[in-house]
Amino acid sequence: LDGIVIKATDDEIKRKLGSTQHHDKWQVAYKSPAERKWSVVKDIQDQVGRTGRITSVAVIEPIQLSGATVTNVTLHNYDYIRTSKIGIGSEVEVCRSGEVIPKFLSVIESSGNKFEMPETCPSCSSKIEIVDIRLFCNNEQCPGKNKEIILNFIQKIGIEDLSGKRLLDLIEAGLVKSIPDLYRLTVDDLMKLDKVKD
């Protein structure tokens, strides 16, 4: 439970309070403040998303937060990383945004270890392009980017039992390069992949 909705139930009060184009004035959502905890950054890793955007993830000492063990926290963008002075060994404050997504809030104590902005994609080593405060990999054949595009498709249409790790195995084996390749897979392909992995 991360909040409550408070509503008027009397019709006369509802009529008097009215509404805007956006919402009824006779009901309001109240969100509980997110639980916050401190941890220490063990590592900072870069990853590429389906749009080619490069984001950094802080790997932290595991903490229990809002009923879950949190070990990874997504960092916002490289300008934010630079100005917050986060680095390996820094003590940081985190919460779970909406009680779901681990979120970096602030540096409590900086380690002084400066984080270096990557120059190449962590998946395909292509040169990174800087757009405003964001970094992008523009390689259309980037395995990391393609994995995220295909994984997003798998999740949208509800294919079960195909994890990101398994999908990456299929991509690295050359069996899947794009979404249509999923429909060309045979039982033999999957059996061969299992033998290679063993």
Side-chain angles (χ1 to χ4, degrees):
L1 183 71
D2 67 346
I4 57 173
V5 176
I6 303 164
K7 294 184 179 186
T9 56
D10 184 278
D11 289 338
E12 182 62 20
I13 292 173
K14 286 182 182 180
R15 188 186 63 74
K16 283 182 180 175
L17 291 172
S19 61
T20 67
Q21 285 184 333
H22 180 262
H23 66 279
D24 295 318
K25 290 183 177 179
W26 50 266
Q27 60 182 355
V28 63
Y30 173 78
K31 295 284 255 182
S32 303
E35 181 184 9
R36 300 169 175 221
K37 284 196 178 173
W38 295 1
S39 186
V40 176
V41 177
K42 294 171 22 181
D43 194 11
I44 296 178
Q45 300 172 347
D46 298 307
Q47 58 188 25
V48 60
R50 62 188 170 93
T51 63
R53 183 174 165 189
I54 311 289
T55 54
S56 290
V57 174
V59 179
I60 61 173
E61 292 285 347
I63 53 171
Q64 285 295 314
L65 196 56
S66 303
T69 302
V70 175
T71 56
N72 295 328
V73 181
T74 302
L75 303 175
H76 303 286
N77 56 58
Y78 285 94
D79 190 54
Y80 189 77
I81 293 168
R82 183 182 55 77
T83 56
S84 69
K85 298 183 179 169
I86 191 170
I88 295 169
S90 294
E91 191 171 2
V92 294
E93 183 180 29
V94 298
C95 73
R96 286 181 72 205
S97 184
E99 300 295 312
V100 178
I101 301 164
K103 182 179 179 182
F104 164 70
L105 295 173
S106 64
V107 172
I108 304 301
E109 187 175 336
S110 177
S111 63
N113 293 324
K114 189 178 175 186
F115 177 68
E116 297 295 334
M117 186 175 79
E119 296 181 357
T120 59
C121 171
S123 177
C124 68
S125 299
S126 296
K127 188 166 176 56
I128 287 173
E129 182 184 344
I130 302 170
V131 180
D132 292 327
I133 55 174
R134 293 179 175 84
L135 308 180
F136 288 90
C137 171
N138 290 321
N139 177 9
E140 293 301 321
Q141 303 305 315
C142 174
K145 186 160 86 171
N146 286 340
K147 181 195 90 169
E148 293 301 322
I149 290 169
I150 298 166
L151 200 55
N152 181 64
F153 172 79
I154 287 167
Q155 291 165 348
K156 291 281 190 225
I157 66 167
I159 296 175
E160 296 179 3
D161 302 323
L162 184 52
S163 67
K165 186 179 183 315
R166 180 76 164 166
L167 178 59
L168 193 57
D169 291 341
L170 291 166
I171 292 169
E172 287 174 352
L175 295 169
V176 174
K177 293 179 183 172
S178 62
I179 291 167
D181 290 337
L182 293 171
Y183 296 95
R184 297 186 189 102
L185 287 172
T186 65
V187 173
D188 286 343
D189 289 335
L190 298 174
M191 296 298 284
K192 284 177 195 169
L193 184 65
D194 284 337
K195 284 178 185 172
V196 169
K197 294 300 287 179
D198 290 340

